[in-house]
Amino acid sequence: MNSLDSVRSIRRPSLHEELTDTLRTMIVEGVLVAGEKVPERKLCEKLGVSRTPMREALKVLAADGLLTLQPNRGAKVRGITVEELEEVFPLMGALEALAGELACANVSDAQMNQIRFSHEAMLDCYHSSDMPGYFRHNQRIHELILEAAGNQALSDMYRTLAVRVRRARYLANMSKERWRMAVAEHEQILLALEARDPQELGGILKRHLENKFATVRHWLNSQQSRE
Amino acid sequence: MNSLDSVRSIRRPSLHEELTDTLRTMIVEGVLVAGEKVPERKLCEKLGVSRTPMREALKVLAADGLLTLQPNRGAKVRGITVEELEEVFPLMGALEALAGELACANVSDAQMNQIRFSHEAMLDCYHSSDMPGYFRHNQRIHELILEAAGNQALSDMYRTLAVRVRRARYLANMSKERWRMAVAEHEQILLALEARDPQELGGILKRHLENKFATVRHWLNSQQSRE
DNA sequence: AAATTGAATTTTGCATTCATTATTAATTTA
DNA sequence: TAAATTAATAATGAATGCAAAATTCAATTT
């Protein structure tokens, strides 16, 4: 066996791939504001790239549902309406339930430990009222469950949807009461996963999601009536 | 009310959108062969477009999972492996079940008639052993159920997955016996939908899918061992 | 002054060009 | 002659150029 066999060719991502990720992040973080036009030229200058890879990235993000392309009028950040949320919610519910089922069957001990670790870290954030930290660890846990499910196609689909609602979820702050409840639900999630109970886990994940969405829906409605 | 208010602005699709559709069709129809490189230059010449919109379309189709982009080595038609099929199958199952549930709740009488009509047309094809026709009407029925579900996000996701497996499904010819069974399952689907029984419909759709996949899996395995 | 018209400007979609990287062919070396 | 090296050719990725469309803004009309 040659010693060079283990040297993997370095993966240099193409510009449009990097741009897709960058823009996606900018949308989720609200740097690119929902409803507003994507300033193509400015972004190109700011990021030091030409329009070609930028426009490729825009096309991909539009296919992902994060932007809408208006012929001859550029791209707009799509955001999410209450109606769209009502569509996306049952979809994510079905995917979460499936992820839960699969995770119970496939989660490894190492993965289980990672989940426990993130769970604890999330609890710490809760007790110190660190919302951004909580949000981050929360997201991580769901990512880990998805990973434990061991289904790439499922992960991809779920993530596409999750990104679409993430911004709204972040902006829709939980009430103290709702936060307490969410933490309780997460305790149940951990328990069901440790017990490898697919039925139970699928159910809790769906209920948990339902509650999260109730919060977002409430916020979206209040936003809509504000205009 | 102005008489011009009803005049909708004509939608002229951009080149890259048309190309995306064209290429998608070419992949499903096997004009672009799974595993082979996409002849970018030739396609551009053949279709009379420049590389810019073509490459935009390639990026989108790669994001959809229909192509893989190899850095500095062009795009390859992805096809589907047995492993990927095993991933996509439960996903589509969950989506079909959801579609069934929603369709029971939301299907209109007009939609119900359309479905019945396609069902009858499909039966005719079965009795005259017209496989391509059967395949077409079959696909149409599933499209109609999805439409009846009234969830755009669900339709989009399902279609993305369906396209990925469609080519393989087409190539994996059903046995006489399996075909008879598939028709029987479709009778049950129609019955459950007419009875607006979401539980029943979801279950049958999932079982129906399971059988379809068994056929494809069998074919993929025989293909794999042939090489 | 409000609405309408019409240039000037910007933006957009796509084609073209160019540098870099792969692939193939030709040549050399062992 | 087979492997290795080099040169020639083709492809890819990204920047630039250009015509068509949209937008802005000033001029004109009502």
Side-chain angles (χ1 to χ4, degrees):
Chain A
M1 205 253 220
N2 193 307
S3 65
L4 282 173
D5 286 356
S6 57
V7 179
R8 310 253 289 111
S9 77
I10 47 165
R11 168 114 175 94
R12 211 170 350 152
S14 58
L15 260 189
H16 101 269
E17 281 179 274
E18 296 195 58
L19 281 175
T20 311
D21 289 344
T22 305
L23 293 185
R24 209 198 311 273
T25 306
M26 289 176 89
I27 292 169
V28 171
E29 291 184 347
V31 179
L32 296 174
V33 184
E36 289 187 9
K37 253 187 68 168
V38 178
E40 189 184 297
R41 237 182 58 78
K42 269 189 186 167
L43 274 177
C44 287
E45 286 171 16
K46 194 97 61 179
L47 298 171
V49 299
S50 77
R51 287 176 57 218
T52 307
M54 173 66 72
R55 307 188 96 250
E56 288 170 352
L58 294 180
K59 304 292 184 287
V60 171
L61 291 174
D64 271 7
L66 256 48
L67 303 174
T68 43
L69 300 179
Q70 308 161 291
N72 293 317
R73 311 155 137 254
K76 251 180 52 177
V77 181
R78 199 169 167 199
I80 194 161
T81 66
V82 186
E83 291 74 31
E84 285 170 336
L85 187 81
E86 301 291 349
E87 285 200 347
V88 169
F89 157 57
L91 240 185
M92 289 184 75
L95 298 186
E96 283 239 14
L98 179 60
E101 264 183 63
L102 295 175
C104 282
N106 302 325
V107 65
S108 71
D109 291 348
Q111 287 171 327
M112 201 60 237
N113 280 330
Q114 283 188 288
I115 292 172
R116 264 189 286 262
F117 182 84
S118 284
H119 182 80
E120 293 304 325
M122 190 183 75
L123 287 187
D124 288 347
C125 290
Y126 171 64
H127 289 120
S128 57
S129 293
D130 172 9
M131 248 309 253
Y134 175 87
F135 198 75
R136 212 172 46 249
H137 288 299
N138 185 351
Q139 196 180 305
R140 175 86 181 124
I141 291 171
H142 288 280
E143 285 281 336
L144 286 171
I145 292 177
L146 227 44
E147 194 186 311
N151 186 317
Q152 192 58 50
L154 171 59
S155 296
D156 290 347
M157 292 252 135
Y158 186 86
R159 225 171 271 138
T160 303
L161 289 178
V163 168
R164 266 187 77 187
V165 298
R166 184 159 299 149
R167 178 73 191 153
R169 273 182 57 192
Y170 186 78
L171 290 177
N173 256 306
M174 290 186 280
S175 66
K176 264 253 162 333
E177 173 54 20
R178 169 65 201 130
W179 197 357
R180 198 191 53 70
M181 213 167 123
V183 170
E185 283 159 11
H186 262 275
E187 296 283 4
Q188 290 184 284
I189 288 171
L190 195 64
L191 249 57
L193 190 59
E194 276 172 336
R196 308 288 201 276
D197 185 339
Q199 222 57 28
E200 179 72 5
L201 182 56
I204 294 172
L205 282 173
K206 213 175 157 189
R207 241 177 301 142
H208 180 56
L209 187 72
E210 214 154 325
N211 289 327
K212 281 197 282 194
F213 269 89
T215 308
V216 179
R217 188 184 294 121
H218 186 265
W219 178 79
L220 274 176
N221 278 322
S222 71
Q223 282 301 104
Q224 212 163 43
S225 58
R226 184 166 301 175
E227 278 149 30
Chain B
M1 204 252 222
N2 194 307
S3 66
L4 282 173
D5 286 357
S6 57
V7 178
R8 311 257 288 111
S9 77
I10 47 166
R11 168 116 174 92
R12 215 171 344 156
S14 58
L15 258 188
H16 102 268
E17 282 180 275
E18 295 196 57
L19 281 175
T20 311
D21 289 345
T22 305
L23 293 185
R24 209 197 311 274
T25 305
M26 291 175 88
I27 293 169
V28 171
E29 291 184 346
V31 180
L32 296 174
V33 184
E36 289 188 8
K37 254 187 64 167
V38 179
E40 189 184 298
R41 245 186 68 73
K42 268 189 185 165
L43 275 177
C44 287
E45 287 171 14
K46 195 98 56 179
L47 298 171
V49 298
S50 79
R51 287 177 59 219
T52 307
M54 174 65 71
R55 306 187 98 247
E56 287 171 352
L58 294 180
K59 304 292 183 288
V60 170
L61 292 174
D64 270 8
L66 256 49
L67 302 173
T68 44
L69 300 178
Q70 308 161 291
N72 293 317
R73 313 160 133 250
K76 250 180 53 177
V77 181
R78 200 170 165 198
I80 195 160
T81 65
V82 187
E83 291 74 31
E84 285 170 336
L85 188 80
E86 301 291 349
E87 284 200 349
V88 169
F89 158 57
L91 239 185
M92 288 184 76
L95 297 186
E96 283 240 15
L98 179 60
E101 265 183 62
L102 295 175
C104 282
N106 302 323
V107 66
S108 71
D109 291 349
Q111 286 171 326
M112 201 60 237
N113 280 330
Q114 282 188 288
I115 293 172
R116 265 190 286 262
F117 182 84
S118 285
H119 182 81
E120 293 303 324
M122 191 183 75
L123 286 187
D124 288 348
C125 291
Y126 171 65
H127 289 120
S128 58
S129 294
D130 171 9
M131 249 308 252
Y134 175 87
F135 199 75
R136 211 172 48 250
H137 289 298
N138 184 353
Q139 195 180 304
R140 175 85 181 126
I141 291 171
H142 288 279
E143 285 281 337
L144 285 170
I145 292 177
L146 227 45
E147 194 186 311
N151 187 317
Q152 191 59 50
L154 172 59
S155 296
D156 291 347
M157 290 245 137
Y158 186 85
R159 227 170 270 138
T160 303
L161 289 177
V163 168
R164 267 187 76 187
V165 298
R166 185 158 299 150
R167 179 68 191 156
R169 273 182 57 193
Y170 187 77
L171 291 177
N173 257 306
M174 292 185 280
S175 65
K176 264 256 162 325
E177 173 53 19
R178 169 64 201 129
W179 198 357
R180 199 191 52 70
M181 213 168 124
V183 171
E185 283 159 11
H186 263 276
E187 295 282 5
Q188 290 185 286
I189 289 170
L190 195 64
L191 249 57
L193 191 57
E194 277 172 336
R196 308 286 200 277
D197 186 338
Q199 222 56 29
E200 178 72 6
L201 182 56
I204 295 171
L205 282 173
K206 213 175 157 188
R207 240 176 304 140
H208 181 56
L209 188 72
E210 214 153 326
N211 288 328
K212 280 197 282 193
F213 270 89
T215 308
V216 180
R217 188 183 294 119
H218 185 265
W219 178 79
L220 275 177
N221 278 323
S222 71
Q223 283 300 104
Q224 212 163 43
S225 59
R226 182 165 304 174
E227 277 149 30

